[in-house]
Amino acid sequence: MWDNLHLLAFSPPGWGSVLLRGLMFTVIVAAGAYFLGLLIGFFAAVGKIYGGPVLKWSLEAYTTLIRAVPELVLILLLFYAGQDALNAFMSMIGLERIDINPIAAGILVLGFVQGAYSTEVIRAAMLSVPKGQVEAAYAFGMSRLKMLRRIMLPSMIPFAIPGLANLWLIVTKDTALLAVVGSAELATVTRAAAGSTRNYLLFYCAAAVLYLSLTLISTYLFRKLESRYRPASRDVKTVDPLAGVRA
Amino acid sequence: MIWNWFPKYFEQLMGGLVLTLELVFIAIFFGMLLAIPLGLVQVTGPKWLGRIALAFCTVVRGTPLLIQLWLIYYGLGSIFPSIPGIRESMLWPYLRDAFPYAVVAFTFSVAGYSGEVMRGAFAGVPQGELEAARAMGMSPFKVLWRIWLPRALQNVFPTLAGEMVLTLKSTPLAATITIQELFGVGTQIRQDTYRVYEPLLMLGGIYIILTGIIVVVMRYFENRIPRPTAA
């Protein structure tokens, strides 16, 4: 392993720059999926708390099913279903079949999965906001939308940060699963590099180091964020750096 | 929707199911055995051992399981054949098979995640109870066996049930190293029949049922464990 370190050099025949580009791709896809997940999560949480029975029931089905099925199965299902739906739509409006861009595909698929997990985190955080604050907002004559934006959103953040930090760490690791549908993120390019040079141990170790540094840097940043938002009360859990779903 | 392939693959699917469950239970069993010392040394020391345990947990939880799996199977697997004499040794049939590599990877994964859980659990047992046990003249090992471990497990039982579901949900990764567990059989059906959705939907259904069973069974045990009264 050690006498082949030159394979990690940045210029060809070294694969260093390929791996780093893979890492960049991983970060982009993870960030995109994370924010898409947060968006879905916020609206789904609002729907779960304030929605009517039909909406509540269907959101419950969404979060339960997504969280009970392995990510790998979901990724394949959503990837093919999304591709098919898109092409059916394209042929309907008279355009040619297109192959969806791997970054967009990764973001959409992982974002949809993340949404289910974010929903639960955000819902729990919203329910942790003292009822009196919400009632006070209504008493001031705020509409529900205004209450959500002015009161709920800012005061739930400290409760949500630990869970959301975990979700970020999960999604960075989940991007590796995109390797099964072929992508350009770190796991896929590592497999290509390892396969073509026959230096499996070296390249998988290098990938592991890159993922680990991404995780450790993220944990550090979330700790900083958390201490900034730490509320006066001490009943908020602290960030457990790496807890959560195994990916 | 075309499901006529189902009877033909029924037997294979059952075999896949057995393999999946084997993987889950072996990994949970050995993973928990490893997790207990991993958690314990981080609380009691010695310090250097605690640091090693922490490093192990961090690496396992900080890298994707898929990479760990490939590292162990392709990485170590490519080293073994170059060791002279290993092909003649008794271990070779196991080293050639993919299943032991998957068992090792999943066991480490369970150990890493649950080790962290156990650390919290050991640290969370009130000091007074341990002091009382020592005052009764129990040896350190007896304190661990009779008081510390049962109390720690009691507190984290719901978390460990969650770990079990997570392990089940990660078993499809084993299919990427040629293991024909449930997901692997599903992939084969997809390749044989050219059906895209039906096998995947079926797999989703099976995993939902398995998750449901685990949740119900664990809840049953959870209710049977006497909860400590709030201190």
Side-chain angles (χ1 to χ4, degrees), chain B residues 156-221:
Chain B
V156 293
F157 196 79
T159 321
L160 295 177
E163 282 294 309
M164 214 157 158
V165 174
L166 296 181
T167 311
L168 171 72
K169 279 174 46 184
S170 57
T171 51
L173 297 179
T176 61
I177 59 167
T178 72
I179 291 174
Q180 284 287 11
E181 45 67 80
L182 263 182
F183 185 82
V185 177
T187 308
Q188 198 201 329
I189 297 173
R190 277 175 43 219
Q191 282 160 359
D192 290 355
T193 60
Y194 299 107
R195 304 303 308 170
V196 179
Y197 296 113
E198 292 90 338
L200 284 174
L201 289 174
M202 178 200 63
L203 284 179
I206 295 175
Y207 282 111
I208 288 173
I209 293 169
L210 290 179
T211 306
I213 293 173
I214 291 180
V215 170
V216 169
V217 170
M218 294 307 265
R219 194 162 298 157
Y220 170 76
F221 283 117

Side-chain angles (χ1 to χ4, degrees), chain B residues 111-159:
Chain B
Y113 282 87
S114 306
E116 195 55 35
V117 173
M118 288 311 296
R119 184 190 61 78
F122 280 123
V125 175
Q127 280 297 317
E129 295 184 19
L130 304 179
E131 279 159 16
R134 278 182 216 120
M136 300 287 270
M138 291 190 191
S139 66
F141 183 75
K142 209 171 235 175
V143 173
L144 176 67
W145 186 244
R146 287 215 184 144
I147 314 288
W148 211 359
L149 186 60
R151 287 287 278 126
L153 286 176
Q154 191 178 26
N155 287 334
V156 293
F157 196 79
T159 321

Side-chain angles (χ1 to χ4, degrees), chain B residues 35-58 115-116 119:
Chain B
I36 290 167
L38 276 173
L40 195 61
V41 294
Q42 286 184 64
V43 179
T44 60
K47 260 220 166 90
W48 60 274
L49 217 54
R51 275 207 204 106
I52 294 175
L54 179 66
F56 175 82
C57 290
T58 308
E116 195 55 35
R119 184 190 61 78

Side-chain angles (χ1 to χ4, degrees), chain A residues 67 81 84 117 173 215 246-247, chain B residues 61-62 65 109 163 169 197:
Chain A
R67 295 189 305 154
D84 276 4
Y117 291 91
K173 289 184 280 167
T215 306
R246 199 167 307 144
Chain B
R61 304 199 305 160
L65 179 53
S109 181
E163 282 294 309
K169 279 174 46 184
Y197 296 113

Side-chain angles (χ1 to χ4, degrees), chain A residues 65 67-73 76-77 80-81 84 117 173 176-177 179-180 187 191 200-201 204-205 207-208 211-212 215-216 240 242-247, chain B residues 58-59 61-67 70-71 74-76 78-79 109-110 113 163 166-167 169-170 172-173 176 183 190 196-197 200-201 203-204 207-208 211:
Chain A
L65 290 184
R67 295 189 305 154
V69 175
E71 280 77 7
L72 206 55
V73 177
L76 286 179
L77 262 179
Y80 293 122
D84 276 4
Y117 291 91
K173 289 184 280 167
L177 301 181
V180 290
R191 186 175 52 183
Y200 297 98
L201 198 56
Y204 289 131
C205 280
Y211 278 113
L212 189 61
T215 306
L216 292 179
D240 174 9
L242 305 161
V245 177
R246 199 167 307 144
Chain B
T58 308
V59 170
R61 304 199 305 160
T63 55
L65 179 53
L66 190 66
I67 295 290
W70 288 351
L71 179 64
Y74 294 110
L76 293 184
S78 69
I79 299 290
S109 181
V110 173
Y113 282 87
E163 282 294 309
L166 296 181
T167 311
K169 279 174 46 184
S170 57
L173 297 179
T176 61
F183 185 82
R190 277 175 43 219
V196 179
Y197 296 113
L200 284 174
L201 289 174
L203 284 179
Y207 282 111
I208 288 173
T211 306

